[in-house]
Amino acid sequence: MTTQRTLAIIKPDAVDKGVVGQIIARVERAGFKILAAKLIQMSLADARGFYAVHRERPFFQSLCDFMTQGPCLPLVLEGENAIQRWRDLMGATDPAKAAAGTIRKDFASSIEANAVHGSDSAEAAAVEIPYFFSSLELCPR
Ligand code: GDP
């Protein structure tokens, strides 16, 4: 077991639905430490940069439009095996395929508007955390 950090985002659909508090409660109940969090409104350039790995996918433009439709809440989570544990808590990308009790099963609207993001590897987390947060904004403890 290793202590890891991961980048989570509560996406605009979940902010708009008013379920930020319920999602953060699940984060805390699962034992993650929240090292940073902030409500932001991404520009199209911000979203295109963040999702650059998906730029060849047919849904890229639609995904970037969705991510900029309203504020979202990026967070840095820390814990044992945090990257996989947060993805387990999120559930499958498509809420129709997500397991019972996962965040996407309970709060996502569609495969695109699926409530939350989570880094999918240590390499991705190392790029995604500084995309939103400077080291001064992290509160390790
Ligand atoms: P994740 O790691 O589970 O978030 O999934 P991916 O990295 O494959 O995709 C990134 C994000 O793109 C997802 O969270 C969705 O918001 C969106 N997405 C993924 N697949 C599709 C799709 O088939 N159609 C659309 N419209 N959006 C998708």
Side-chain angles (χ1 to χ4, degrees), residues 48-60:
R48 292 176 76 88
F50 181 68
Y51 280 119
V53 291
H54 292 310
R55 63 186 172 276
E56 305 300 338
R57 309 277 283 272
F59 56 81
F60 178 66

Side-chain angles (χ1 to χ4, degrees), residues 41-104:
Q41 169 73 57
M42 276 205 263
S43 69
L44 201 51
D46 295 333
R48 292 176 76 88
F50 181 68
Y51 280 119
V53 291
H54 292 310
R55 63 186 172 276
E56 305 300 338
R57 309 277 283 272
F59 56 81
F60 178 66
Q61 185 60 44
S62 175
L63 171 62
C64 293
D65 288 343
F66 159 64
M67 289 300 290
T68 58
Q69 75 182 19
C72 65
L73 189 93
L75 308 104
V76 179
L77 308 181
E78 185 178 80
E80 289 299 319
N81 204 18
I83 293 169
Q84 189 57 48
R85 284 205 305 120
W86 172 239
R87 289 186 66 86
D88 291 347
L89 207 58
M90 293 197 314
T93 308
D94 182 352
K97 295 178 183 156
T102 61
I103 291 169
R104 283 170 165 169

